[in-house]
Amino acid sequence: MSIVIISPGRDVSSWVKTFNKFDPKIDIQVFPDIRDKESVELAILWQHPKGILKEFPNLKLICSMGAGVDHILSDSEIPLSLPITRIVDPGLTIPMTNYVVMATLNHHRQLYRYQSNQKKKVWDMSDPELETKVGVMGVGALGGDVIQKLKFLGFSVFGYGNSPKSNTDYPYFHGDELPQFLNNVNLIICMLPLTPLTENILNLDFFRKCNKGTYIINVARGNHLVEDDLLTAIGEGTISGAFLDVFRKEPLPQEHPFWNSDKITVTPHIASVTNPNSAIPQVIENYKRIKNHKPLLNQINQILGY
Ligand code: OXD
């Protein structure tokens, strides 16, 4: 009985060490050095080679190494009968919220304007706060925390998601209520799961429905954003700028226009990085649960895609 970690190109030695620390009896194999495919019952994945899971005939559970599962669901050869879990962990949630709060405050308090004024030795006290009404798209574990912390800081916050929700302590819109949601906000934080419904959602048509000068923060997936459309929308003034942590192609290619845009801030997909120490206990717990036929923690719905 063993666990396989498949995450090509990523150093997973800290994962192996941490598994050993929590439970030295668990046998861990790391792709591509697989000793015994038959013994593998649990696969931990990040950007695995598509189709590879059929090489493990006794697989019972798939775990994402992170919060997102789009990288797993894009493998059409994964049977629907195989349960998939994701990581939900304060070690992911708190850094994500801190990142989003930083990006929101930078925009609201115009840090860039003061940095540029300092270089020019300009003392300009006008308009020290931009009126900021925040819209959070995706109100799950991560988005929900962002909403509460931004509300605590005094922002007006609106939520948007796929399904109806009642009893939220913030105005919530769903499905085709997108235009009403956009009407209320001028800073949009994309925290949606990537599914066929949300892919390319941040496109020119979307931007043109936004209030003029809306600011975009994307910490979800690069494929939510049509990158050329963002540049067009910034060029025409519909969108004032963007703070982006995720891109269609990562690392962001050297020749990409985002690097040189003074309206776009680029960070290298670091908003929230899974910490094996806080994430592995739930993987071990699920490993035990699957053996004992108990309900799993943080299992996703393969049809909904999150
Ligand atoms: C994740 C990520 O899904 O790091 O956790 O993007």
Side-chain angles (χ1 to χ4, degrees):
M1 259 170 294
S2 70
I3 292 180
V4 66
I5 304 179
I6 308 181
S7 176
R10 193 193 257 207
D11 175 11
V12 294
S13 51
S14 61
W15 282 74
V16 176
K17 262 195 227 128
T18 313
F19 266 115
N20 287 333
K21 181 182 91 183
F22 282 115
D23 191 342
K25 291 194 293 303
I26 298 179
D27 177 50
I28 307 288
Q29 307 189 52
V30 177
F31 174 84
D33 301 318
I34 312 288
R35 279 172 274 106
D36 178 7
K37 291 181 178 163
E38 301 259 316
S39 68
V40 169
E41 290 187 324
L42 188 160
I44 303 180
L45 307 181
W46 189 260
Q47 312 288 11
H48 67 285
K50 304 286 175 271
I52 196 169
L53 294 186
K54 56 181 180 302
E55 296 179 20
F56 301 93
N58 296 313
L59 196 59
K60 295 191 173 56
L61 172 64
I62 299 173
C63 299
S64 170
M65 274 179 108
V69 289
D70 48 293
H71 58 102
I72 300 175
L73 297 177
S74 58
D75 182 347
S76 56
E77 294 183 53
I78 291 183
L80 274 178
S81 55
L82 215 48
I84 301 176
T85 61
R86 68 191 196 101
I87 302 293
V88 178
D89 170 30
L92 269 180
T93 309
I94 295 169
M96 176 60 89
T97 299
N98 287 345
Y99 178 101
V100 169
V101 168
M102 167 201 54
T104 303
L105 287 174
N106 273 356
H107 173 71
H108 173 61
R109 298 308 308 258
Q110 307 165 78
L111 185 68
Y112 309 112
R113 196 178 118 209
Y114 298 115
Q115 282 173 331
S116 145
N117 284 354
Q118 182 176 346
K119 288 204 185 94
K120 295 180 276 181
K121 302 186 182 167
V122 169
W123 185 272
D124 175 5
M125 290 175 70
S126 65
D127 305 322
E129 284 173 294
L130 285 186
E131 199 203 351
T132 305
K133 294 203 165 139
V134 180
V136 178
M137 300 179 72
V139 299
L142 296 171
D145 194 59
V146 162
I147 291 175
Q148 294 310 327
K149 305 243 167 94
L150 287 175
K151 263 164 60 78
F152 178 78
L153 290 177
F155 286 98
S156 301
V157 188
F158 299 76
Y160 175 82
N162 184 31
S163 354
K165 256 185 203 304
S166 50
N167 299 328
T168 56
D169 59 358
Y170 52 88
Y172 176 76
F173 299 84
H174 76 279
D176 58 12
E177 293 170 347
L178 186 62
Q180 292 95 301
F181 165 76
L182 295 180
N183 210 16
N184 277 288
V185 302
N186 63 3
L187 182 147
I188 290 170
I189 303 166
C190 177
M191 307 192 72
L192 290 163
L194 183 67
T195 68
L197 272 183
T198 64
E199 184 160 9
N200 298 325
I201 190 167
L202 304 176
N203 59 39
L204 197 54
D205 182 49
F206 174 102
F207 295 138
R208 287 183 176 153
K209 289 194 180 103
C210 290
N211 284 312
K212 199 168 166 52
T214 289
Y215 191 76
I216 305 291
I217 298 172
N218 188 15
V219 286
R221 285 289 180 260
N223 283 13
H224 285 118
L225 173 68
V226 182
E227 295 179 340
D228 284 345
D229 286 5
L230 176 65
L231 292 168
T232 306
I234 289 177
E236 62 187 32
T238 323
I239 296 299
S240 58
F243 206 112
L244 307 174
D245 187 52
V246 287
F247 304 90
R248 295 188 93 88
K249 188 162 185 331
E250 296 179 3
L252 189 65
Q254 290 293 306
E255 63 286 359
H256 199 289
F258 285 175
W259 287 114
N260 295 323
S261 167
D262 58 357
K263 299 272 171 54
I264 296 177
T265 298
V266 167
T267 60
H269 201 146
I270 44 67
S272 177
V273 179
T274 311
N275 174 345
N277 248 312
S278 54
I280 281 177
Q282 67 187 266
V283 178
I284 295 180
E285 173 64 23
N286 274 339
Y287 187 53
K288 292 181 186 150
R289 287 182 180 218
I290 199 95
K291 281 172 190 289
N292 297 319
H293 308 284
K294 287 203 176 139
L296 297 169
L297 304 173
N298 309 320
Q299 182 171 1
I300 62 111
N301 176 325
Q302 263 117 303
I303 308 291
L304 288 176
Y306 53 90

